[in-house]
Each structure stands twice: as structure tokens, then as C-alpha cells.
Amino acid sequence: TSVDLKCLRTLLNAARRIDKCRRVHLNVYPGTLLDIPVEEFPALFAEISGNGGLCIEVSGRQMFADATCLLERIDELKRLGAQILLDDIGSGRSTIEHIMILEPNQLKIGQALSQHVSAQPVKRKQLERLVAIAQSMGASVIADGVRSKDDEKVLLETGVEYGQGLIYGSSVEVT
């Protein structure tokens, strides 16, 4: 929507002022990427993506039946130097097909799969399969919503490389 696009432009402008040593993660709906006029797309992302400091987190909460419609935009972002992360894996609308077509640099496992994974063998098995797919593509895996040491232990055992959640601390403002 036009509101999403305005928010993205505002965030990209703010991100340009953040220390270049930091990686900036921006959550973006697939529809927002498609709404950007083709002629604006490279200029919008080029300055901030060039140093590898931009990671576009493509939300799995809004996905299309045909992920190939996003492929041109994702490939352009990669060409500009941005990292691509598919978000909400296991809890959103992302599918294995989306992962295979878009070939992200990172997968972020949603809280629905990462929380209580230590107490639910079915979740652990699903996680092991997703990690195997990610590893076969050279993508790293992040678990969202990590809240317990038991879950953290299982996540690490299954090959999850990074975690975020209250176990590590609450969000802080970057200045």
C-alpha cells in the first residue's frame, strides 16, 4: 500500500544515518516490494545496501501463491548487496517453495516453532528439517522468540545459528 511504501522510504532514510558498522534489518511485506515503481527500486536501496549493511526481512505473514513474482525484486536487492531473510518460517504463510525460489541468505524461524521446542518432539523434528533445507542452500537460521535455556539448547543442537528473544534481553533503541 502507499502507507507501507511511505514507511519504507522513511525507514531507509533513517537507516542511512545509522553507523555503517551496524547491520540494519527492515521488515517488508512482499506487496510493498512489488509496489515500488521499477524505476525507483535501485536508487531506493542502493546507497544503504552497498556495504552489506542492509538485511531485508521479507515477512511470511503476507505471501503470494506464486513466489516467482517476487524473484526479480529479490534478485535486484541481492545484486545491490542486501541480505535477504525470510521471516516467520513455520508460523507465517511462507512455504518450502518460497524458500527454494527466493533462495534467501537467512531464514528466521517464527515463535510458533521455536517456543517450547524442548518439550515438543514434533516441533524439534520440523525444525531439524527446516535447518537441513537452509544448510543445503547455504542459508543461516535464526530463531525468534527464544525465552528459555531449554529451548535455546535444543535450537543449538538442531543447527540454529542465531537467536533473538527475551532470554537475551529486551529491545533497545539505536541512536
Side-chain angles (χ1 to χ4, degrees), residues 83-135:
Q83 295 282 303
I84 303 299
L85 180 150
L86 288 186
D87 199 4
D88 301 315
I89 303 295
S91 59
R93 292 186 171 92
S94 295
T95 67
I96 302 297
E97 182 180 20
H98 292 122
I99 295 168
M100 302 309 254
I101 290 171
L102 299 177
E103 298 183 53
N105 305 97
Q106 301 172 330
L107 299 179
K108 187 185 289 183
I109 305 300
Q111 294 181 30
L113 187 55
S114 64
Q115 288 183 355
H116 310 295
V117 69
S118 59
Q120 298 178 16
V122 171
K123 281 188 177 185
R124 181 183 179 124
K125 201 68 163 158
Q126 290 172 331
L127 185 61
E128 288 170 348
R129 290 177 182 133
L130 283 171
V131 169
I133 290 168
Q135 289 174 342

Side-chain angles (χ1 to χ4, degrees), residues 10 15 25 27 38-39 48 51 53 56 73 86 97-98 112 121 132 138 141 160:
T10 301
H25 285 245
N27 289 66
V38 173
E39 64 277 1
I48 191 168
N51 65 359
I56 298 293
R73 297 297 173 102
L86 288 186
E97 182 180 20
H98 292 122
V141 179
V160 173

Side-chain angles (χ1 to χ4, degrees), residues 6-17 24 26 36 43-45 48-49 54 56:
K6 183 175 174 127
C7 288
L8 177 62
R9 285 187 176 111
T10 301
L11 288 170
L12 285 168
N13 285 332
R16 287 181 178 92
R17 295 188 300 271
V24 174
L26 295 177
I36 300 169
L44 192 60
F45 293 97
I48 191 168
S49 333
L54 177 65
I56 298 293

Side-chain angles (χ1 to χ4, degrees), residues 131-145:
V131 169
I133 290 168
Q135 289 174 342
S136 74
M137 299 172 57
S140 57
V141 179
I142 302 164
D144 190 15

Side-chain angles (χ1 to χ4, degrees), residues 30-70:
T32 304
L33 288 176
L34 293 173
D35 284 345
I36 300 169
V38 173
E39 64 277 1
E40 286 182 41
F41 198 84
L44 192 60
F45 293 97
E47 181 185 330
I48 191 168
S49 333
N51 65 359
L54 177 65
C55 182
I56 298 293
E57 296 195 20
V58 181
S59 175
R61 299 284 176 187
Q62 176 200 52
M63 200 47 87
F64 298 92
D66 181 10
T68 58
C69 65
L70 275 178

